[in-house]
């Protein structure tokens, strides 16, 4: 069925969760080389948009790119995740990280300078050589044997400063480098300091360079323990307002609030919030290995759509050029009419406006081109890409779903991630429905005297109250019927449609859990089963 997947399509001998990634990797690489690359080369796609993909681009682990202004805690965040220092790490209140550092797994600790890194075929950085020595002297790979890095790689970027001087003094196009990374990473994390929310011109340009990668962006509001609750609300509102001016999406970006370093919290009143936010962020990062195949597939689809649009633009410009006289004037006219050409191509080929490249950038690139050397439209190349999108990609997607359902969940392990999984300091331990799980006494018994007073006002018969009587009391909580129905089902342990004093106390306890902001469990945990119902309840399971 999947004979077109290439050499690694049948590689099942490796076993475990890596099978689906290996299979999809082979399939994607084969599709790109046979279907998409010919179209890109024919219409000079690599000169205008993105270099050709190499084997390392398909084989590499999920990557996380950290971007932010200086002293927002990017390097400290990596140190927090790894729980160890890495080569090249410098932390301080002043602008310390002046290089792009790829933090990756290695059997021994060490660093590789940029010029050596871009000639290594096993690393996905070879195409960065086009940014020249000014960039390569500010690029390095930091390798170390760390459990976290067995699943993901992390890219630390230079702190972004304000002022035109900083942009000029870099010696390379900072935003172009960020765009190159953004196209290849699985997650882009923008870090903000709770005390420095202003978005400088360069940071604004950097964020705009992530256009088309909005689904990868997450925002971290770091050092939030340094302000109190009232100030935090104002800071959060100001951050959302600032982001709304530079990120043009109708959806609200997910912002994670916390203090991501291994030091005591300066302000503990929002501790629960910070723990919940950290847990959500960890889950998002931990899921990257499992979603890596889908991400690569999605990026290939985006690339194919852009390559098709590029082919239509280039072939249209070629068609409009005169054969002998007036070539330069016609070129200037076509460049000035580019927005109109976009609209015409949208209508002719039924293409979404969002698939077209930015007019300003395209104009700048076209200025240096000889339109007479462009190629005319070649329908067979377009048809090959259309076939890939309509049939091959769909088959590969179904393979991913099939394999993922049959394999164990692959997650990031080690470092700070292990500290959130189990034990009394795991997220949610001893809270909500988990409260009292490690105690001998029934946790509901603490408040049972108060619940008993209410129970006996409901006129129990033979030690039990009817469903109608219980409903009158339970609806005073103002919880919706869907929630109260779930609570009733959990509390009526023997399923007789009535509640005794212990079952009623359990119902009131579950209501309290929900009113305190926790979720009701799907099944009743063993430690919440009323003592008089434990044996029969457990026997009937």
């Amino acid at each position: 069925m999947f004979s077109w997947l290439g050499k690694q399509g049948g590689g099942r001998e490796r076993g475990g969760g890596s099978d689906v990634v290996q299979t999809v990797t082979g399939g994607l690489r084969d599709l790109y080389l046979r279907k998409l690359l010919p179209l890109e080369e024919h219409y000079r796609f690599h000169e205008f948009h993105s270099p050709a993909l190499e084997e390392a681009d398909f084989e590499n682990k999920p990557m996380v790119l950290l971007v932010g202004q200086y002293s927002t805690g990017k390097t400290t965040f990596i140190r927090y995740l790894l729980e160890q220092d890495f080569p090249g790490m410098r932390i301080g209140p002043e602008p310390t990280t002046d290089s792009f550092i790829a933090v990756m797994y290695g059997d021994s600790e060490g660093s590789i300078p940029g010029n050596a890194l871009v000639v290594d075929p096993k690393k996905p950085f070879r195409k960065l050589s086009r940014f020249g020595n000014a960039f390569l002297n500010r690029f390095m790979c930091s390798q170390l044997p760390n459990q976290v890095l067995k699943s993901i790689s992390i890219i630390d970027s230079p702190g972004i400063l304000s002022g035109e001087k900083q942009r000029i003094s870099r010696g390379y196009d900072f935003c172009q480098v960020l765009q190159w990374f953004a196209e290849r990473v699985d997650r882009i994390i923008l870090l903000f300091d709770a005390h420095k929310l202003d978005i400088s011109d360069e940071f604004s340009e950097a964020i705009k360079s992530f256009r088309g990668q909005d689904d990868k962006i997450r925002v971290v509001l770091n050092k939030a323990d340094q302000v109190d609750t009232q100030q935090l609300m104002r800071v959060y509102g100001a951050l959302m307002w600032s982001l709304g001016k530079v990120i043009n999406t109708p959806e609200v970006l997910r912002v994670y609030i916390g203090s991501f370093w291994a030091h005591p919290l300066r302000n503990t009143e929002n501790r629960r919030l910070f723990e919940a936010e950290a847990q959500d962020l960890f889950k998002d990062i931990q899921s990257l290995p499992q979603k890596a195949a889908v991400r690569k597939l999605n990026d290939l689809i985006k690339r194919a759509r852009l390559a098709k649009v590029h082919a239509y633009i280039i072939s249209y410009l070629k068609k409009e050029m005169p054969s002998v006289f007036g070539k330069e004037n016609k070129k200037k006219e076509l460049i000035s009419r580019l927005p109109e050409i976009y609209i015409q191509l949208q209508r002719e080929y039924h293409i979404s406006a969002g698939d077209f490249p930015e007019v300003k950038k395209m104009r700048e690139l076209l200025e240096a081109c000889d339109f007479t050397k462009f190629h005319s439209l070649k329908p067979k190349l377009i048809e090959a890409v259309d076939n890939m999108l309509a049939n091959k990609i769909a088959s590969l997607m179904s393979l991913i779903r099939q394999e993922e359902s049959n394999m164990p969940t692959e997650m990031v392990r080690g470092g700070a991630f292990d500290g959130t999984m189990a034990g009394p300091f795991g997220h949610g331990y001893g809270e909500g429905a988990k409260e009292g799980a490690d105690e001998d006494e029934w946790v509901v018994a603490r408040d049972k005297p108060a619940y008993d007073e209410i129970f006996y006002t409901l006129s129990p018969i033979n030690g039990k109250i009817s469903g109608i009587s219980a409903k009158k009391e339970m609806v005073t909580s103002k919880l919706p019927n869907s929630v109260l129905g779930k609570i009733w089902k959990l509390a009526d342990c023997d399923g007789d449609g009535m509640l005794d004093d212990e079952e009623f106390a359990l119902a009131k306890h579950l209501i309290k859990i929900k009113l305190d902001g926790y979720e009701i469990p799907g099944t009743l945990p063993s430690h919440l089963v009323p003592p008089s119902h434990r044996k029969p309840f457990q026997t009937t399971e």
Side-chain angles (χ1 to χ4, degrees):
M1 180 178 177
F2 299 105
S3 58
W4 49 271
L5 287 177
K7 289 192 292 182
Q8 295 198 28
R12 302 288 302 180
E13 71 277 7
R14 296 183 64 148
S18 64
D19 281 350
V20 64
V21 177
Q22 293 299 320
T23 303
V24 172
T25 295
L28 287 175
R29 186 177 61 249
D30 185 54
L31 280 180
Y32 176 72
L33 294 175
R34 291 196 298 111
K35 304 285 187 179
L36 186 53
L37 184 59
L39 180 74
E40 292 181 356
E41 290 177 336
H42 194 67
Y43 294 103
R44 298 162 62 174
F45 177 86
H46 308 137
E47 298 175 28
F48 286 82
H49 303 288
S50 180
L53 299 178
E54 297 186 325
E55 184 166 348
D57 292 308
F58 296 99
E59 299 283 353
N60 69 300
K61 298 169 186 171
M63 293 193 290
V64 178
L65 172 65
L66 299 182
V67 181
Q69 300 185 133
Y70 77 94
S71 193
T72 53
K74 297 186 300 297
T75 306
T76 305
F77 182 80
I78 299 175
R79 171 69 178 79
Y80 173 71
L81 293 182
L82 302 182
E83 293 188 341
Q84 73 176 93
D85 295 344
F86 57 89
M89 185 185 85
R90 289 174 61 210
I91 295 173
E94 76 282 3
T96 49
T97 303
D98 62 349
S99 304
F100 280 86
I101 303 177
V103 187
M104 309 180 79
Y105 182 83
D107 293 328
S108 59
E109 193 170 308
S111 60
I112 305 172
N115 282 289
L117 192 58
V118 295
V119 296
D120 185 350
K122 294 182 180 179
K123 297 285 193 297
F125 305 121
R126 282 162 59 94
K127 297 297 182 179
L128 283 169
S129 58
R130 70 188 179 103
F131 294 107
N133 280 329
F135 166 72
L136 295 178
N137 291 334
R138 291 284 180 268
F139 179 45
M140 63 176 287
C141 176
S142 176
Q143 292 186 316
L144 64 158
N146 185 283
Q147 182 72 18
V148 173
L149 300 176
K150 286 185 176 181
S151 303
I152 61 172
S153 299
I154 305 173
I155 312 295
D156 192 10
S157 63
I160 297 174
L161 304 170
S162 58
E164 186 67 21
K165 180 182 176 183
Q166 303 301 333
R167 253 187 294 190
I168 295 171
S169 64
R170 290 193 191 277
Y172 61 90
D173 194 325
F174 180 69
C175 290
Q176 283 290 315
V177 173
L178 285 180
Q179 185 178 354
W180 187 94
F181 276 111
E183 291 171 356
R184 288 157 177 80
V185 300
D186 297 69
R187 189 67 74 236
I188 302 167
I189 297 181
L190 304 179
L191 278 96
F192 289 86
D193 185 331
H195 286 103
K196 293 197 290 274
L197 291 180
D198 59 305
I199 298 179
S200 66
D201 291 342
E202 189 180 24
F203 196 13
S204 177
E205 290 299 316
I207 294 173
K208 289 175 183 176
S209 70
F210 298 143
R211 179 180 179 265
Q213 312 294 338
D214 306 312
D215 57 316
K216 299 179 181 180
I217 297 177
R218 302 291 185 271
V219 177
V220 169
L221 179 57
N222 201 12
K223 306 182 184 180
D225 64 322
Q226 298 179 14
V227 296
D228 60 31
T229 303
Q230 186 179 24
Q231 291 171 328
L232 184 58
M233 290 176 64
R234 292 173 181 163
V235 166
Y236 181 82
L239 175 59
M240 298 307 291
W241 181 80
S242 299
L243 287 172
K245 293 195 298 180
V246 293
I247 299 180
N248 298 317
T249 57
E251 301 85 7
V252 177
L253 283 175
R254 176 65 165 96
V255 178
Y256 298 91
I257 303 170
S259 180
F260 297 94
W261 65 343
H263 290 268
L265 296 176
R266 295 188 182 180
N267 193 325
T268 59
E269 60 187 76
N270 293 310
R271 184 186 184 102
R272 270 187 59 189
L273 170 66
F274 298 157
E275 289 175 352
E277 291 286 281
Q279 184 69 14
D280 287 349
L281 179 59
F282 283 177
K283 284 181 180 176
D284 186 67
I285 296 174
Q286 282 182 302
S287 68
L288 293 180
Q290 190 179 18
K291 297 176 180 176
V294 176
R295 195 276 302 169
K296 289 174 182 176
L297 188 66
N298 186 54
D299 282 355
L300 187 68
I301 294 170
K302 284 195 287 188
R303 187 182 180 97
R305 292 168 69 92
L306 179 59
K308 271 183 59 181
V309 169
H310 178 75
Y312 287 133
I313 294 170
I314 295 300
S315 60
Y316 180 89
L317 296 175
K318 168 67 175 178
K319 184 181 70 173
E320 293 295 309
M321 287 297 288
S323 55
V324 183
F325 300 111
K327 293 179 182 179
E328 196 60 34
N329 288 334
K330 188 63 176 178
K331 173 183 172 180
K332 291 178 181 177
E333 179 200 329
L334 289 171
I335 291 176
S336 66
R337 286 183 47 235
L338 201 57
E340 299 170 29
I341 294 171
Y342 278 13
I343 294 171
Q344 184 177 336
L345 292 175
Q346 287 173 39
R347 292 172 181 166
E348 185 176 350
Y349 297 105
H350 309 289
I351 304 170
S352 169
D355 289 345
F356 282 79
E358 287 184 4
V359 171
K360 182 182 176 182
K361 178 187 173 185
M362 198 67 179
R363 277 175 170 163
E364 291 173 357
L365 294 168
L366 288 171
E367 287 284 356
C369 295
D370 182 355
F371 287 12
T372 60
K373 293 183 179 179
F374 288 165
H375 292 292
S376 301
L377 190 64
K378 202 170 182 181
K380 284 189 177 180
L381 291 175
I382 299 290
E383 287 170 10
V385 174
D386 284 337
N387 178 52
M388 178 188 83
L389 294 172
N391 301 311
K392 306 300 186 183
I393 292 290
S395 300
L396 197 53
M397 191 68 221
S398 65
L399 176 65
I400 292 174
R401 289 174 181 152
Q402 175 189 337
E403 292 291 332
E404 283 184 345
S405 64
N406 297 329
M407 74 179 192
T409 303
E410 188 178 356
M411 297 180 72
V412 180
R413 306 284 181 186
F417 297 99
D418 284 352
T420 65
M421 293 180 182
F425 295 99
H427 178 67
Y429 186 92
E431 299 176 356
K434 298 176 183 178
E435 183 184 2
D438 55 357
E439 298 177 13
D440 294 332
E441 184 185 0
W442 187 39
V443 67
V444 184
R446 299 172 189 170
D447 300 314
K448 191 169 182 296
Y451 298 149
D452 283 347
E453 288 184 20
I454 302 171
F455 178 78
Y456 288 111
T457 64
L458 299 175
S459 305
I461 300 173
N462 297 326
K464 293 193 174 188
I465 59 172
S466 65
I468 294 174
S469 298
K471 180 181 178 181
K472 288 179 182 178
E473 172 58 30
M474 292 172 69
V475 294
T476 61
S477 66
K478 299 182 181 179
L479 290 172
N481 285 347
S482 58
V483 175
L484 292 175
K486 186 176 181 181
I487 290 173
W488 170 269
K489 186 177 179 182
L490 293 172
D492 186 13
C493 298
D494 53 15
D496 64 352
M498 305 180 78
L499 300 181
D500 61 24
D501 61 321
E502 288 186 339
E503 290 174 320
F504 177 77
L506 173 60
K508 293 291 287 183
H509 181 74
L510 292 172
I511 288 173
K512 181 176 180 293
I513 287 173
K514 185 63 180 177
L515 292 176
D516 286 344
Y518 298 99
E519 290 302 316
I520 301 297
T523 57
L524 192 66
S526 58
H527 70 278
L528 288 183
V529 178
S532 63
H533 289 268
R534 285 183 180 175
K535 287 185 180 179
F537 183 66
Q538 291 167 357
T539 304
T540 57
E541 281 189 333

